Amino acid sequence: MTKHIAILAYEGCMGMEVFGLCDTLLMANRVAAALGHAGPLFQVAVLGMLGESVAAAGGFRIGTRRASRRLKADLLVVPGMELADRASCLRPLTHLAAEAAYLDAMFARGIPVAATCVGAFLLGEAGLLDGRRATTSWLFAPDLALRFPHADVQAAAMLVSDGGVTTTGSFSAAFDLAMDLVRQSAPPRVLRAVARMAMLDENRTSQAPYIDARMMAPPAAGFGASVRAWIDHRLAEPYDLQRLADSFHVSPRTLLRRFKDDTGATPLGYLQRARVDKARLLLESTTLAVAQVTGQVGYGDVATFSTLFKRLVGHTPAEYRRRFRTGPA
């Protein structure tokens, strides 16, 4: 059965996220036909609120059909947008009010919706993230959580579906959405063939290997930031909650509460993430053995640290080094 996919383009949207999705689904149609599948898997339409061409990020134009209130589609997708600066994603998207209202109206009619990358902010503007799990580009995930506090933002996830609302990770995750649609609509051999022809990973599940804490916005000054700085200077030292609380002249219970209020995490959770981030940098930029890296970030047992590393990053330390080794920093 053919699935009808509608993509809502708008001024300033990321053209690759429109065309990447269109072209991957077109390729899936061609592959499925070559393998004997009857009829196309997908029909794709690019919509615009006025039915006129829109200027994508970078200035080139995308032709659209007029978005109808009587839309019949199995999925309505909104691409991400160009963000002029970090603060822009924290402001209401008033210039996209018509698009947000359209997404809300179509979802109310029972049409599932999806967003690629920072298109999640437009779904949030439409009120569709409240009470749902969601993701976006790892770089802007903290901003999404701040802008829409009633959403459960899962920063490391590549693709999250919750109650008819699907969101994806950063930029190239438009291809992950396309592959997920192929997975839902075609036999495994079609999925594998499309993945190999397009050199795409057919089962990429996490953004974690790509997260670089050095690129994240610095935390706001306050109690949480002070505790994190204290921990950062003592990464290799044993975790001692009482010592940490004494350093800030509060009880352990008060420290845990205030740190959670400021950061959404626990001090131990932050310490583990910070140790893994330092280990990733060492694995990328040095020739230190995994055991040496483990010791430098405060662990005495390689197996224990490897388990933590894989849980947070999705690869073992050795796998991560093979994939992301860049040479001396």
Side-chain angles (χ1 to χ4, degrees):
M1 182 176 178
T2 301
K3 281 193 174 181
H4 294 263
I5 310 298
I7 303 173
L8 184 62
Y10 54 87
E11 297 286 325
C13 70
M14 301 300 289
M16 189 285 290
E17 296 178 21
V18 176
F19 295 125
L21 185 57
C22 289
D23 291 348
T24 306
L25 298 183
L26 174 63
M27 183 183 298
N29 282 344
R30 300 292 185 261
V31 170
L35 294 178
H37 191 279
L41 295 172
F42 304 101
Q43 286 189 0
V44 182
V46 180
L47 311 179
M49 293 308 300
L50 299 178
E52 301 172 352
S53 66
V54 298
F60 65 87
R61 304 198 72 82
I62 300 175
T64 72
R65 304 178 191 175
R66 189 180 184 91
S68 169
R69 291 281 172 164
R70 296 186 297 275
L71 176 70
K72 294 181 180 179
D74 296 293
L75 182 68
L76 175 59
V77 184
V78 60
M81 66 205 71
E82 181 182 25
L83 295 174
D85 55 62
R86 189 167 207 104
S88 61
C89 64
L90 294 175
R91 295 190 286 266
L93 301 175
T94 53
H95 63 295
L96 296 175
E99 285 80 2
Y102 184 73
L103 288 162
D104 183 33
M106 294 304 98
F107 186 73
R109 282 187 48 216
I111 297 176
V113 298
T116 56
C117 194
V118 293
F121 285 86
L122 188 48
L123 292 188
E125 197 77 16
L128 300 180
L129 298 186
D130 289 354
R132 291 188 171 89
R133 293 174 293 111
T135 191
T136 188
S137 164
W138 60 264
L139 187 60
F140 294 99
D143 304 304
L144 186 70
L146 183 62
R147 178 75 178 83
F148 303 106
H150 297 298
D152 177 8
V153 178
Q154 301 184 351
M158 187 65 72
L159 187 148
V160 174
S161 292
D162 189 347
V165 176
T166 299
T167 47
T168 77
S170 185
F171 197 61
S172 69
F175 295 106
D176 295 272
L177 175 60
M179 296 302 286
D180 190 62
L181 291 172
V182 176
R183 181 181 297 106
Q184 295 175 32
S185 304
R189 61 179 184 151
V190 172
L191 178 68
R192 286 193 297 269
V194 173
R196 290 169 183 174
M197 288 179 63
M199 294 177 60
L200 295 173
D201 190 333
E202 63 189 84
N203 194 31
R204 195 167 59 150
T205 60
S206 177
Q207 299 184 82
Y210 304 93
I211 295 174
D212 188 339
R214 296 167 295 175
M215 296 174 64
M216 305 291 281
F223 183 79
S226 298
V227 173
R228 287 195 285 197
W230 191 95
I231 292 172
D232 287 341
H233 285 90
R234 299 165 179 82
L235 282 185
E237 297 179 11
Y239 176 68
D240 186 333
L241 178 60
Q242 185 64 59
R243 178 191 174 202
L244 178 58
D246 290 345
S247 299
F248 288 88
H249 310 292
V250 296
S251 70
R253 183 176 179 179
T254 298
L255 184 133
L256 290 172
R257 176 181 55 79
R258 292 182 62 186
F259 190 80
K260 182 72 177 288
D261 288 345
D262 278 5
T263 69
T266 64
L268 178 58
Y270 175 77
L271 172 63
Q272 291 175 331
R273 171 61 70 180
R275 284 173 166 175
V276 166
D277 286 343
K278 181 176 180 180
R280 289 172 57 193
L281 179 61
L282 293 172
L283 291 166
E284 292 171 16
S285 60
T286 75
T287 58
L288 292 174
V290 171
Q292 293 174 296
V293 171
T294 298
Q296 287 207 14
V297 298
Y299 285 84
D301 182 66
V302 173
T304 299
F305 179 67
S306 294
T307 299
L308 171 68
F309 191 97
K310 185 166 185 177
R311 176 168 63 82
L312 295 182
V313 180
H315 299 288
T316 67
E319 290 168 346
Y320 183 85
R321 166 168 275 165
R322 285 194 295 271
R323 186 164 184 177
F324 293 98
R325 176 92 164 91
T326 59

